[in-house]
Amino acid sequence: MKDQVWLVTGSSTGFGRKLVEELIAQGIKVVATARKVETLDTLPSTSETKILKLKLDVTNHDDVTNVVSKAINYFGHLDVLVNNAGYGYAGAIEESDENAVREMFETNFWGVSDMTRAVLPYFREQKAGRILNITSIGGLVGVPTFGYYNATKFAVEGFANALSQEVKPLGIQITNVEPGPFRTDWAGRSMTGSVHAIADYETTAHAQREMTNQRSGQQDGSPELAAKAMVKLAQLDEQPLHFVAGINAYERATNALEGTLSEFKKFKADATHLNYGDEDYWQ
């Protein structure tokens, strides 16, 4: 395990920070990255040969390719990519600013895509590699006020689902880590949102946004324990495609899947009589 080399995006705060601290504590080599590399100065001290701190903006393609190249040149190989960099956006769909939403997509989705594509040639060459995408319960379940954020995470889920099937025969495994509420900066400093409010959304999007703001800093989920779970995931012989992180996420995900299955079954008769030869069913 200690021979692994990890690359973690968004290492300055939240899950990324706690994961890097856990890797350091376990003596695992890690490339810690942040848009402002000085934010990594306060990481626990360790042997310089165990950690490499690099500037990385995942929306900048040159940054992405340079970081991957430097990581491999420094440590000699790369084994685990953690796509963690990202942020939230709150606001009803109709209220949301399209430019701000597009910027979020650049980080939350296209940043994941670019980082992943950058490591795949190395992983294919060594016939091994692990990828952990920190998505969200919001990548499985839609929530009022987070519709566009949900869209970025649903996009990552679909991207990783297809990619996992493409690369599994090549020795590359992917897990989408889907946290519920954890005590990070996601709902605080890292959150942006609409400034234009429409009164008709007061009891849906606005109420959800206010509840999320009030709970920020008081969530039950421990990012320190989530970091331990992520390290364990990358040691498994067979990684799961999905890892719902936290009891809140587990309950919401299973309830949503059960509800979806019930809905499918309710309309099964109509849905399964749409082939040529089924014309009599619709008479």
Side-chain angles (χ1 to χ4, degrees):
M1 179 176 70
K2 288 181 171 55
D3 290 334
Q4 282 186 333
V5 176
W6 290 54
L7 193 165
V8 182
T9 71
S11 301
S12 59
T13 61
F15 288 118
R17 179 72 171 214
K18 296 305 179 184
L19 177 56
V20 169
E21 291 176 354
E22 181 64 25
L23 292 168
I24 291 172
Q26 294 194 29
I28 300 172
K29 301 179 184 70
V30 59
V31 182
T33 69
R35 285 181 299 171
K36 297 180 179 179
V37 71
E38 61 270 19
T39 61
L40 306 176
D41 290 345
T42 55
L43 283 168
S45 59
T46 184
S47 166
E48 291 184 2
T49 61
K50 292 285 188 181
I51 185 170
L52 178 63
K53 303 174 185 178
L54 296 175
K55 173 186 175 298
L56 172 62
D57 177 349
V58 297
T59 68
N60 183 312
H61 181 70
D62 288 340
D63 272 11
V64 168
T65 56
N66 287 339
V67 161
V68 172
S69 178
K70 288 177 179 178
I72 294 169
N73 289 337
Y74 186 81
F75 286 116
H77 58 102
L78 180 65
D79 304 288
V80 184
L81 168 66
V82 181
N83 285 312
N84 170 70
Y87 62 94
Y89 184 95
I93 298 295
E94 188 180 353
E95 298 170 342
S96 298
D97 179 82
E98 185 173 331
N99 290 330
V101 167
R102 288 180 180 273
E103 288 180 7
M104 178 177 59
F105 265 91
E106 288 295 326
T107 297
N108 290 11
F109 176 72
W110 289 112
V112 169
S113 172
D114 207 12
M115 286 299 306
T116 301
R117 287 165 60 95
V119 303
L120 284 177
Y122 300 97
F123 285 178
R124 285 192 292 105
E125 183 178 359
Q126 66 190 13
K127 301 189 185 307
R130 308 292 186 113
I131 299 173
L132 302 181
N133 298 316
I134 312 304
T135 66
S136 169
I137 182 60
L140 299 175
V141 181
V143 180
T145 207
F146 295 119
Y148 279 116
Y149 173 75
N150 290 148
T152 66
K153 297 302 185 177
F154 269 75
V156 172
E157 292 281 343
F159 167 85
N161 192 317
L163 179 63
S164 67
Q165 298 172 63
E166 295 172 357
V167 300
K168 186 173 183 180
L170 307 177
I172 303 167
Q173 299 190 53
I174 300 174
T175 295
N176 290 330
V177 179
E178 297 136 346
F182 277 74
R183 203 167 297 181
T184 68
D185 289 333
W186 181 83
R189 181 192 62 81
S190 298
M191 178 72 69
T192 63
S194 62
V195 295
H196 173 58
I198 299 174
D200 285 343
Y201 298 115
E202 189 65 34
T203 61
T204 54
H206 301 171
Q208 179 65 48
R209 185 171 180 177
E210 180 60 27
M211 182 174 65
T212 301
N213 291 339
Q214 290 177 356
R215 290 179 177 176
S216 180
Q218 302 177 45
Q219 300 95 328
D220 292 331
S222 164
E224 292 84 359
L225 297 183
K228 292 181 182 295
M230 284 185 256
V231 174
K232 181 177 180 180
L233 282 169
Q235 317 310 322
L236 298 175
D237 290 338
E238 290 287 336
Q239 286 182 210
L241 178 59
H242 300 283
F243 180 78
V244 284
I247 188 170
N248 176 284
Y250 185 87
E251 291 177 348
R252 288 165 63 190
T254 53
N255 287 341
L257 288 171
E258 288 168 358
T260 298
L261 181 59
S262 176
E263 187 177 63
F264 285 174
K265 290 179 177 179
K266 181 177 180 180
F267 293 95
K268 178 182 177 180
D270 286 357
T272 57
H273 286 86
L274 297 172
N275 289 346
Y276 290 108
D278 287 334
E279 287 79 8
D280 287 348
Y281 173 84
W282 295 96
Q283 299 306 315

